[in-house]
Amino acid sequence: MSKLQCGGISVNRNQKTDLVKTLRHTFEDSASVVVVHCIGLTVAESTDLRNKMRNDNCYFKVTKNKITQLALKDTKYQHMDKMFSGPTAIGSSKDPVMAAKVLVDFAKENEKLVIIGGGLEDKPLTKYDVEALAKLPSLNDLRGKIVGLLQAPASKIARLTKEPSTKVLRTISQKSQQR
């Protein structure tokens, strides 16, 4: 079985193929991908970052640039191939905002993590785009707001039905006169 050099580590062709497939699946399954440089993170810092990502249903992986560039081919993120030079890692999520949120917050606390850019579906993102994306509400936050908006009228109706019938009739009468 032949071996290839990959970032100073010897990797056989089967391992390389498996790594490319795994990364390609990650790209295909993600609504957004954020590319970062991580220089000198301690084991504790790296573990902390991975835990934060996992807790928010995000994926974080230190990558081999050549393998990542191979995995990007013919995906919606193929425009990101030039971002992979130096000590790179990727954060991704099915939620378009969460990976950006977690990584931008972590980068604010730790200068060893630097946001490079990323992609939102087939749109390339600069570092500043990723920072702006991180300020948006997550899908779960938006879902909560929508549920709140939908429940508000129902709760008003429920409150009215508990009032004496005269108040209900008065309210209905007022509403019909307004129209």
Side-chain angles (χ1 to χ4, degrees):
M1 192 176 296
S2 69
K3 297 252 183 184
L4 302 172
Q5 275 302 105
C6 182
I9 298 172
S10 189
V11 178
N12 73 39
R13 288 193 191 278
N14 290 338
Q15 290 171 319
K16 182 178 179 181
T17 301
D18 289 345
L19 289 171
V20 169
K21 282 181 184 176
T22 300
L23 272 175
R24 181 178 298 275
H25 177 71
T26 298
F27 292 133
E28 290 170 349
D29 204 30
S30 299
S32 68
V33 175
V34 178
V35 181
V36 298
H37 279 178
C38 45
I39 304 168
L41 284 177
T42 65
V43 172
E45 292 166 333
S46 180
T47 300
D48 182 40
L49 174 58
R50 288 174 192 277
N51 287 337
K52 287 177 180 180
M53 293 290 284
R54 193 175 309 113
N55 290 342
D56 284 317
N57 297 316
C58 300
Y59 174 82
F60 183 77
K61 175 94 173 125
V62 176
T63 59
K64 298 284 183 200
N65 294 330
K66 287 289 187 193
I67 288 176
T68 304
Q69 288 167 337
L70 288 171
L72 284 169
K73 285 184 182 175
D74 301 323
T75 70
K76 58 189 170 190
Y77 297 109
Q78 63 188 355
H79 56 80
M80 294 179 7
D81 66 336
K82 302 287 186 244
M83 293 182 194
F84 290 91
S85 64
T88 57
I90 59 166
S92 63
S93 174
K94 291 181 182 183
D95 181 319
V97 175
M98 284 313 297
K101 270 189 185 308
V102 175
L103 290 168
V104 167
D105 287 347
F106 191 87
K108 286 178 185 174
E109 300 168 8
N110 192 322
E111 67 216 22
K112 297 173 190 171
L113 187 87
V114 178
I115 306 293
I116 302 302
L120 181 62
E121 294 295 333
D122 60 346
K123 306 286 186 254
L125 300 175
T126 66
K127 171 186 178 175
Y128 305 105
D129 294 334
V130 171
E131 290 169 348
L133 183 64
K135 293 176 184 173
L136 295 175
S138 70
L139 283 177
N140 282 341
D141 292 341
L142 289 174
R143 285 181 185 127
K145 288 179 183 180
I146 290 170
V147 168
L149 290 171
L150 293 174
Q151 287 180 342
S155 65
K156 287 179 185 176
I157 290 171
R159 239 180 294 137
L160 281 175
T161 59
K162 291 181 182 176
E163 298 291 326
S165 59
T166 56
K167 287 185 179 180
V168 173
L169 290 174
R170 195 175 320 130
T171 303
I172 292 171
S173 175
Q174 288 173 352
K175 291 292 181 184
S176 65
Q177 287 174 2
Q178 288 175 354
R179 294 183 184 171

